[in-house]
Amino acid sequence: MPLYIFVTGGVLSSLGKGVASASIASLLEEQGLKVNIQKLDPYLNVDPGTMSPYQHGEVYVTEDGAETDLDLGHYERFTDRYMTKKNNVTAGKVYYNVIHREREGGYLGATVQVIPHITDEIKRLIREVEEDCHVVIVEIGGTVGDIESLPFLEAVRQLSMELGKDKVLFVHTTYVPYVKTAGELKTKPTQHSVKELRAIGIQPDIILCRSEMEIPEGIKEKIALFTNVKKSAVISAPDVEFIYEVPLIFKKQGLDRLILEYFGFEYKEVKSKWENVVDILKWAKEEVKIALVGKYVSLKDSYKSVVEALIHGGIANGVRVKVLWINSEDYDEEILSEADGILVPGGFGERGIEGKLKALTYGRITQKPTFGICLGMQLMCVEFARKVIGLKDANSTEFDPFTPHPVIDIMEEQKNIKKLGGTMRLGSYPCKLLEGSKVREIYGTSLIHERHRHRYEFNNSYREIFQNMGMVFSGLSPDERLVEIIELRDHPWYIGCQFHPEFKSKPFKPHPLFVSFIKACKKN
Ligand code: GLN
């Protein structure tokens, strides 16, 4: 049975608990431990798949096709562990299971209640990820004091009693604001949020203090005193330029040693692999500018994995990546001309489509490296049909169901689907690469597996005419029915993929397409 670390949050949301949990996991991995990480989300959606990116940021897709919270992206990027459906539990999923079981007669005779039935189900789902690991880190979404998080906190409190306190560690993340007029960092919100946590029976062992700046020793002492933790367990988590600095900041303050010693493991002096990554990010002189043309650009979290994958491509090429955000609803050629490369990411719905098409025309004609992901690839096909082949009203049936040229169309299997939750083509699928194509060289292999999240596909009745006009279908499903990658024969780097390569990129395993894209932009 593994050991457990429960990570809670106080005072504010958006404290970066996900990055903190992922950083702890990575430090423990560096100590030779096997770690799994789970996110508990207090909302009632069964998963975030149907939520707008404006609500929730990106929906992260796992190998097994779960649509999950974007924090799972951090967990995968920071560690060696692959996330699965079991690594993200929402209140919606918990209630769904309990109500379903009630209808089946699973609780005959009982009144079904939050305690014990909901809390039991939460505990059961937490324990589903404990196989093959020494430590499980469970991040509890939301803020202590919210009505919604209460059942989750109660469940982990019970679990700590059942497992034994020496097998469980509570990490509480709080906010320590700097009040300019007073010229001081304030500890009161932290004191109150810990008080709130204690009221429900949880005493934190470690306090992570998010703040604009480093927390000085005196303030750490004060927090330690009021929250009843050791001073060495009050950890400063200041704002950073790059999230990959976080493990190093924790390590410098001995957070990894503290956790290891708490659980009775021996601590080893190791050089952290993050040092190299941060060095490159900080000292790289050359900068590559990528125009990211999307409709959700006002909330940068909507493109979290894409931006991280670009940064990874930058690390591999020893350059910094600067993203120039372009709202596809107001197409801006000036910014495009400044950029070294253009990226059109995934998306849903008609808004902003024309701006993306214009950006793709620009990239195609000016021969700038251009990368289309999912919807981006589909629009590359629409643009090509309209502007190169001359099929004027070509479109995807997602945007014009009656287009005379449906070059992108809904999949046969999707036509009768009425329920929208969890019903797209989701998760990892194989794709074979065409000998002699650019992507075959970029990947250096003939068979790849990539993650999908879409309903529409390239319409095969247009394959021949596209090919004759210079488009190469360089990635196909093994049965050759589905177009997975396209590229232009007469362009240095114009590649679109139906899948989302960004989900598989890590700082230590940068995705080949992003590495090659940034390399092409660098040359530009
Ligand atoms: N809206 C498109 C589809 O469903 C593309 C989805 C995406 O970009 N993830 O096929």
Side-chain angles (χ1 to χ4, degrees):
M1 196 188 54
L3 304 153
Y4 276 90
I5 299 177
F6 295 116
V7 181
T8 54
V11 187
L12 296 177
S13 58
S14 306
L15 286 180
K17 277 192 306 238
V19 170
S21 306
S23 300
I24 294 174
S26 119
L27 291 175
L28 299 184
E29 273 190 354
E30 287 193 327
Q31 290 290 326
L33 299 177
K34 284 192 193 167
V35 188
N36 206 349
I37 325 180
Q38 187 185 47
K39 173 86 191 273
L40 307 179
D41 275 310
Y43 51 73
L44 288 176
N45 303 60
V46 172
D47 65 40
T50 56
M51 268 191 243
S52 154
Y54 291 122
Q55 288 281 315
H56 194 264
E58 155 189 291
V59 172
Y60 186 77
V61 181
T62 57
E63 286 290 293
D64 65 346
E67 297 176 280
T68 70
D69 185 76
L70 60 77
D71 279 329
L72 273 78
H74 293 308
Y75 304 165
E76 283 202 350
R77 283 188 284 273
F78 277 73
T79 70
D80 292 333
R81 183 67 70 160
Y82 276 107
M83 297 292 119
T84 68
K85 286 191 167 81
K86 293 179 178 169
N87 292 70
N88 194 186
V89 170
T90 68
K93 191 190 262 180
V94 174
Y95 277 84
Y96 187 89
N97 289 354
V98 169
I99 292 170
H100 198 73
R101 198 171 301 136
E102 187 275 332
R103 290 290 82 186
E104 305 262 287
Y107 300 106
L108 271 191
T111 307
V112 182
Q113 292 178 300
V114 173
I115 303 173
H117 301 101
I118 292 294
T119 45
D120 279 353
E121 179 61 9
I122 294 171
K123 287 188 282 181
R124 190 185 70 78
L125 291 168
I126 290 176
R127 302 211 56 183
E128 270 194 346
V129 300
E130 66 184 28
E131 231 171 75
D132 188 34
C133 57
H134 301 103
V135 180
V136 179
I137 299 177
V138 181
E139 178 193 344
I140 299 151
T143 309
V144 171
D146 292 349
I147 293 176
E148 285 99 334
S149 345
L150 268 177
F152 287 111
L153 293 167
E154 169 59 15
V156 300
R157 183 198 66 79
Q158 290 176 15
L159 208 51
S160 77
M161 293 304 288
E162 289 162 22
L163 300 172
K165 188 57 197 73
D166 56 328
K167 300 208 165 41
V168 173
L169 187 79
F170 284 100
V171 176
H172 187 55
T173 317
T174 75
Y175 187 58
V176 182
Y178 177 72
V179 178
K180 256 197 219 123
T181 46
E184 268 182 74
L185 283 165
K186 292 293 187 188
T187 64
K188 195 72 79 190
T190 300
Q191 296 176 33
H192 279 284
S193 85
V194 171
K195 201 166 120 194
E196 193 92 39
L197 204 53
R198 284 221 211 101
I200 45 182
I202 296 173
Q203 164 63 46
D205 302 291
I206 292 172
I207 311 274
L208 291 183
C209 303
R210 287 284 294 109
S211 180
E212 271 176 67
M213 57 193 73
E214 281 207 26
I215 310 287
E217 293 304 303
I219 301 282
K220 281 190 177 179
E221 247 160 56
K222 193 168 167 190
I223 291 173
L225 183 70
F226 279 106
T227 59
N228 209 22
V229 304
K230 284 187 290 184
K231 189 183 145 220
S232 59
V234 179
I235 306 289
S236 177
D239 290 348
V240 284
E241 190 181 357
F242 302 105
I243 53 173
Y244 303 122
E245 293 173 60
V246 176
L248 294 175
I249 290 175
F250 287 172
K251 191 174 173 62
K252 218 166 78 193
Q253 296 173 78
L255 179 59
D256 48 355
R257 180 191 284 266
L258 197 77
I259 296 173
L260 259 81
E261 285 174 358
Y262 180 94
F263 286 138
F265 291 111
E266 199 185 320
Y267 178 77
K268 294 186 240 52
E269 290 298 341
V270 285
K271 181 174 183 290
S272 175
K273 58 184 183 177
W274 294 104
E275 282 179 25
N276 262 346
V277 169
V278 172
D279 274 355
I280 297 174
L281 287 171
K282 291 226 152 153
W283 307 118
K285 283 195 193 68
E286 198 181 328
E287 185 176 78
V288 164
K289 295 194 198 99
I290 306 298
L292 196 151
V293 191
K295 86 171 172 188
Y296 314 110
V297 291
S298 56
L299 183 72
K300 310 279 184 287
D301 269 359
S302 310
Y303 301 109
K304 192 95 228 162
S305 295
V306 172
V307 173
E308 291 307 317
L310 286 170
I311 294 172
H312 305 158
I315 295 171
N317 284 288
V319 296
R320 267 174 186 253
V321 175
K322 182 171 180 196
V323 175
L324 310 176
W325 299 92
I326 300 187
N327 184 339
S328 51
E329 285 176 85
D330 49 76
Y331 171 75
D332 189 332
E333 193 157 313
E334 218 175 292
I335 305 186
L336 280 182
S337 69
E338 237 180 80
D340 302 303
I342 299 166
L343 191 150
V344 179
F348 295 82
E350 204 188 346
R351 217 156 35 78
I353 292 301
E354 294 305 318
K356 291 182 184 176
L357 288 170
K358 281 188 193 151
L360 291 170
T361 305
Y362 181 89
R364 184 173 54 76
I365 290 175
T366 58
Q367 302 257 305
K368 268 195 194 188
T370 307
F371 194 179
I373 295 179
C374 206
L375 176 64
M377 180 209 95
Q378 297 176 353
L379 294 177
M380 281 176 156
C381 296
V382 171
E383 196 275 337
F384 190 83
R386 290 187 190 174
K387 295 281 163 61
V388 179
I389 308 178
L391 305 172
K392 225 168 69 321
D393 297 314
N395 214 332
S396 160
T397 50
E398 181 178 3
F399 314 123
D400 179 3
F402 307 108
T403 167
H405 298 295
V407 292
I408 302 294
D409 199 5
I410 195 145
M411 290 186 261
E412 211 40 56
E413 305 85 285
Q414 287 282 337
K415 284 190 177 153
N416 297 319
I417 287 177
K418 298 274 177 312
K419 285 189 190 165
L420 295 184
T423 54
M424 285 187 252
R425 173 145 86 112
L426 285 167
S428 183
Y429 284 86
C431 163
K432 58 177 192 183
L433 304 178
L434 183 72
E435 206 52 58
S437 64
K438 287 193 191 84
V439 288
R440 174 71 181 76
E441 198 189 319
I442 291 170
Y443 276 95
T445 176
S446 55
L447 186 73
I448 56 166
H449 291 82
E450 295 281 5
R451 300 183 196 171
H452 291 249
R453 181 174 185 249
H454 56 102
R455 283 184 210 284
Y456 294 79
E457 302 276 355
F458 183 80
N459 180 345
N460 288 329
S461 39
Y462 290 90
R463 261 200 221 178
E464 206 180 315
I465 183 164
F466 270 61
Q467 267 165 339
N468 293 342
M469 296 300 283
M471 186 171 273
V472 181
F473 296 104
S474 49
L476 295 175
S477 58
D479 63 4
E480 303 198 350
R481 279 183 54 226
L482 300 168
V483 170
E484 307 284 39
I485 311 180
I486 57 141
E487 57 189 59
L488 286 188
R489 203 176 44 211
D490 304 320
H491 191 296
W493 213 104
Y494 193 92
I495 297 177
C497 49
Q498 187 56 81
F499 47 79
H500 289 272
E502 69 272 24
F503 294 144
K504 284 181 80 167
S505 188
K506 301 181 184 221
F508 303 103
K509 227 165 102 195
H511 193 285
L513 283 175
F514 282 89
V515 176
S516 165
F517 177 56
I518 297 294
K519 191 169 168 206
C521 297
K522 192 177 152 186
K523 270 199 242 148
N524 228 12

